[in-house]
Each structure stands twice: as C-alpha cells, then as structure tokens.
Amino acid sequence: MVWFRRMCVAVAVGAALTVFTAPASAQSEVTYSLAGVEIAATSTQGTFVGVAVSPDDFGKWGAVVLHGPLDDTALITGGSFAIDGQVRNLEGLISDGEIVRLTSSCRKETFDVTGHVILFEGGIPTGVGDFEVKLTHYGRRVPGGACVTVFATVEGLITFTLTP
C-alpha cells in the first residue's frame, strides 16, 4: 500500500511539473515551402514575392534582401521577410546570411541563399527563422556581348521556431 501511494505521488508530481513548465518551454516549429520570383533588383538588393505552403497553412510571401555585390559569395546584410497566410501572419527582419554562386553561365546562373530571420509582432520578438533557397537568374546576351538577367526565380524552405 505504501508503494502504491508513493507511485501516485510521483505520478502527480510528474504531471504537475509537465503542466506548469509547458508554457515556459512551449515553442512550435513550422516549415514553409517557398516559390517565387524576383520583381526588382539592384547590385545590392533583391525584392521577391511568391507562394508559401506549410502542412497547415498557405499564403503569399515577400522579402527584400540587402546584400553585398554579387560575386562568387556575397554576405546578406539585412532586409525584411513576411508571410501573409490563412492561419498565421509572420513578419520579421533578415539579420544575416550568405549568397553562394553554384553555377554561372549567361543563360542560367544559380545561387544558394541562406540566412536568418527574427520575427516581430508589435515590436516584440516572437520567434526566429532559418531559410535556404535556390535563386536562379535567367539571362541573355545583348549587342556588345554583355549578359543581362531578364528573369529570376527562387524556391526553397524557411523554418520558423515560434515562441508564445
């Protein structure tokens, strides 16, 4: 009988600890697949829009990525990111990252783009995100031999860790 009471107390204490500590550590993770196009670009800034899909949400997304001049590698120096979803709206600042050229030809140039997002709501941090996307520039030669990018696509993933 003493063993049974001790077991009940242990189970009750364990359950109480689980209930009372859950909100403090309650974080949720969600991954969105991203697909989109680059709608504006300079040598140090790209603006993107597209579609975001997660297992429980879908919506449109947009980003402005600030970076050093594109070369074999370029550092991401800032920017903004937002998803306007059916289930959740996420908005934040791109804190840092890197752009690495994977292939290079005039007709098709690809980059691996990775970085970090800090989410905010009403000025209060609400989570973080990590993205990895493939940026593809499509180009053509113009008279004189220069290569000009005429269109660009982006596809990949962003994973958010949301805090309550």
Side-chain angles (χ1 to χ4, degrees):
M1 191 64 147
V2 172
W3 176 85
F4 182 74
R5 273 188 277 161
R6 285 185 183 159
M7 182 59 84
C8 288
V9 169
V11 169
V13 168
L17 287 174
T18 302
V19 169
F20 292 122
T21 59
S25 64
Q27 294 184 341
S28 61
E29 190 172 276
V30 61
T31 298
Y32 285 86
S33 294
L34 304 175
V37 296
E38 188 170 27
I39 59 169
T42 70
S43 62
T44 58
Q45 178 178 312
T47 303
F48 303 88
V49 297
V51 176
V53 179
S54 77
D56 69 339
D57 194 13
F58 67 94
K60 58 187 178 181
W61 68 274
V64 176
V65 179
L66 307 175
H67 56 79
L70 287 181
D71 200 353
D72 287 338
T73 58
L75 293 179
I76 294 174
T77 58
S80 61
F81 183 91
I83 291 178
D84 181 12
Q86 300 298 307
V87 174
R88 64 184 70 82
N89 295 323
L90 303 170
E91 192 172 337
L93 299 175
I94 298 172
S95 60
D96 59 69
E98 185 177 42
I99 302 169
V100 177
R101 186 189 324 263
L102 301 174
T103 63
S104 180
S105 74
C106 181
R107 291 183 176 228
K108 187 176 181 183
E109 183 177 37
T110 59
F111 299 88
D112 184 43
V113 183
T114 58
H116 310 284
V117 175
I118 302 169
L119 296 174
F120 292 95
E121 187 173 326
I124 298 170
T126 58
V128 294
D130 296 306
F131 61 87
E132 182 169 7
V133 297
K134 180 180 174 185
L135 170 64
T136 304
H137 287 167
Y138 299 92
R140 67 179 190 87
R141 296 238 179 253
V142 295
C147 184
V148 176
T149 299
V150 294
F151 189 70
T153 61
V154 63
E155 62 179 300
L157 300 172
I158 187 164
T159 299
F160 294 106
T161 301
L162 308 172
T163 55

